[in-house]
Amino acid sequence: MKNIVTIGGGTGTSQILRGLKWNQDIDIVSIVTVTDDGGSSGILREDFNILPPGDIRNNILALAEQETFLTKLLKYRFNEGFLKNHNLGNIILLALTRINGNNFPLAIKTLSEALKIKGRVFPASLDSLKLVAELDDGEIIFGETSIVLKNKNIKRIWLDGNAEAFDESVMAIQKADIIIFGPGSLYTSIIPNILVDGIRNAINLCKAKKLYIANIMTQPGETTNYSLKDHVEELENYLGEELDYIIANKSNLPYEIIQRYQKMGSSPVKLDMEEDRRVVVSDLVYIINDEEPKIRHDPKKTSELILKCVL
Amino acid sequence: MKNIVTIGGGTGTSQILRGLKWNQDIDIVSIVTVTDDGGSSGILREDFNILPPGDIRNNILALAEQETFLTKLLKYRFNEGFLKNHNLGNIILLALTRINGNNFPLAIKTLSEALKIKGRVFPASLDSLKLVAELDDGEIIFGETSIVLKNKNIKRIWLDGNAEAFDESVMAIQKADIIIFGPGSLYTSIIPNILVDGIRNAINLCKAKKLYIANIMTQPGETTNYSLKDHVEELENYLGEELDYIIANKSNLPYEIIQRYQKMGSSPVKLDMEEDRRVVVSDLVYIINDEEPKIRHDPKKTSELILKCVL
């Protein structure tokens, strides 16, 4: 049995978890960032003084074995009235937090058990954390959403105030054989976890192989024009050590989708590290056929490649 | 197998269902009024144009076989933020209505199946209904909550606009061996069902024994000073026919509880029909040891007495 820890939280991590959960020989812990202050999570965080539930919910859903009555409820998003844009899963996690005496990890555990999920989901910290960024022009911005909305290059990023790592997250890292960073928003999903000292220290001290799954597309407001090397160097900079493996996509994307992404300021991440022996490339793309097709990591292809690298 | 239909909706009916559900030889259908316009139900009804979910939720919960993860969620009521006073169960029923293509009965069915409830719960009508009352002083009041808040004697009550009976409710009545009215708010839980022509006609045409379970206490704003006879005559007046059995409480209530109820304008319903051979009296009281003790019907005692009367 291998212990795998994912560090992230957003949609990218969910895709990887969806692939990994089918392997019977691994135990999964998903460590999720708690700096989100936008959307439904942001409002609930503000109004009810809880940790942002959105990424936690998505990761729990990604690890759920099957579609049930409860998974349908957890995914539902209201589009009207005073509940507009709120996700029912977030509201349920809020209620479970209260039902469990304001114990957020216990609320996550209760929900995870009700869904019989494979693995566990932990917040990086139980402290209410706010991300702060210094932009290239010297401006200091508070809050994840505001940082991304500025749509400017980020010089450095840190946490406002002290953050204590969640014990069980630290223990999971200590036991890990493999730690997976990404895919996901570099500054708002991955690095915020490392900004928690206890998390970074545990990663630095453990013997796990460290693996980065690079994004397929750059993210406007975060990594505009970042090449693969830019991503990796920035992550290693915050991590304070080198990664063992770097997995990146190498495949042609449909022209019309690239065009649409480019209109939003997003383009394919340029591969500029192919001489580096740690880099493994493959076709990892999965196109979600939503109303507007979206580019994602293919859970099966990506998880197979991860396991091939490290097992 | 006997088919029992309850006509009501509020807390009173829930208590009876809690007792009846353990009997393996009966099939239960709970028909619930849809004129509620107060509290969480009222806001959701107004803001999302759905039928009031509160009584439906309570009746589903009363028929649930056991306490589960889901029943805990359905009972939770928020006490802060923009969700203040809203019940999570109501919000879940709203989401299920949307998930099921705005089909409210299908939402109820989905939830009932997820909870593996004994029996079925149907709304009396799928039309959005508003109760209207003429008070003793001639004033006309629209809306259930406003009527009760006036705290004056009600002369007569009717529905604003046309109401079509829900087909499955009508069919349940046609098949019924026993129809149980009450306990519950006379004008806002029981009679509103009978105001739907199709429901009253079905009741009048069916061969079921009709049984009324009288309230233990009068209700301020509805039945202040009503004796048992006042309740029965009013119900029979709207029903257009006589009841077969009348079950009433005969027991001494704790003095301090009576005192507290009296401060709110509520007193024990006076027994003034004991010469009527249809009347069956017994000790039916169950005291809920909440922060402030409340008087309820004992589910076991009451359901045993019902079955003794009619089986």
Side-chain angles (χ1 to χ4, degrees), chain A residues 43-44 47-48 69-70 72-73 76 78-84 86 88 91-92 94-96 98-99 110-111 114, chain B residues 43-44 47-48 69-70 72-73 76 78-84 86 88 91-92 94-96 98-99 110-111 114:
Chain A
I43 293 168
L44 294 181
D47 213 6
F48 296 91
F69 173 79
L70 204 51
K72 270 185 217 144
L73 284 183
Y76 183 72
F78 295 96
N79 54 26
E80 73 211 293
F82 73 97
L83 292 167
K84 188 164 183 167
H86 278 290
L88 183 55
I91 292 174
I92 286 175
L94 163 62
L96 284 172
R98 293 290 184 261
I99 290 169
T110 310
L111 184 59
Chain B
I43 294 168
L44 295 180
D47 213 7
F48 296 91
F69 174 80
L70 204 50
K72 270 185 218 144
L73 284 182
Y76 183 73
F78 294 96
N79 54 27
E80 73 212 292
F82 73 97
L83 292 167
K84 190 164 181 165
H86 278 289
L88 184 56
I91 292 175
I92 287 175
L94 163 62
L96 283 172
R98 293 290 184 263
I99 290 169
T110 310
L111 184 60

Side-chain angles (χ1 to χ4, degrees), chain B residues 24 77 128 159 215 224-225 230 232 248 262 301:
Chain B
Q24 297 302 316
R77 193 177 291 273
S128 188
L159 294 175
N215 290 352
T224 314
N225 295 326
D230 293 331
V232 168
Q262 266 169 345
K301 288 182 197 164

Side-chain angles (χ1 to χ4, degrees), chain A residues 53-72:
Chain A
D55 286 340
I56 301 269
R57 163 184 53 83
N58 274 327
N59 280 267
I60 290 174
L61 279 169
L63 290 170
E65 258 188 60
Q66 49 188 2
E67 186 84 5
T68 63
F69 173 79
L70 204 51
T71 58
K72 270 185 217 144

Side-chain angles (χ1 to χ4, degrees), chain B residues 257-311:
Chain B
I257 299 184
I258 293 194
Q259 268 195 318
R260 218 191 53 249
Y261 269 78
Q262 266 169 345
K263 275 182 200 155
M264 302 181 290
S266 173
S267 54
V269 171
K270 213 179 104 196
L271 296 185
D272 56 354
M273 291 183 73
E274 286 188 87
E275 76 295 344
D276 192 315
R277 55 162 191 77
R278 298 173 300 161
V279 174
V280 183
V281 295
S282 182
D283 170 15
L284 299 174
V285 169
Y286 176 75
I287 308 282
I288 296 188
N289 271 318
D290 229 333
E291 284 165 40
E292 301 219 299
K294 282 173 193 147
I295 298 164
R296 295 279 182 269
H297 279 78
D298 185 297
K300 191 160 177 286
K301 288 182 197 164
T302 314
S303 62
E304 279 171 3
L305 192 58
I306 292 168
L307 297 173
K308 210 169 122 185
C309 280
V310 293
L311 289 191

Side-chain angles (χ1 to χ4, degrees), chain A residues 7 11 17 30 38 121 126 136 150-151 153 167 182 214 286 290 305:
Chain A
I7 307 265
T11 314
L17 296 174
S30 158
V121 178
L126 297 186
D136 261 357
K150 277 283 168 177
N151 204 4
N153 274 355
D167 279 346
Y286 175 75
D290 229 333
L305 192 58

Side-chain angles (χ1 to χ4, degrees), chain B residues 9-56:
Chain B
T11 314
T13 310
S14 302
Q15 286 295 98
I16 305 307
L17 295 175
R18 277 195 187 90
L20 290 173
K21 71 177 168 189
W22 301 112
N23 190 309
Q24 297 302 316
D25 299 324
I26 58 175
D27 182 70
I28 306 170
V29 169
S30 158
I31 297 180
V32 175
T33 181
V34 288
T35 51
D36 185 10
D37 59 7
S40 165
S41 281
I43 294 168
L44 295 180
R45 184 182 173 169
E46 185 75 20
D47 213 7
F48 296 91
N49 194 28
I50 57 163
L51 291 175
D55 286 339
I56 300 268

Side-chain angles (χ1 to χ4, degrees), chain B residues 245-262:
Chain B
Y245 296 95
I246 294 144
I247 289 180
N249 175 63
K250 187 176 191 177
S251 69
N252 293 321
L253 296 165
Y255 179 64
E256 61 276 23
I257 299 184
I258 293 194
Q259 268 195 318
R260 218 191 53 249
Y261 269 78
Q262 266 169 345

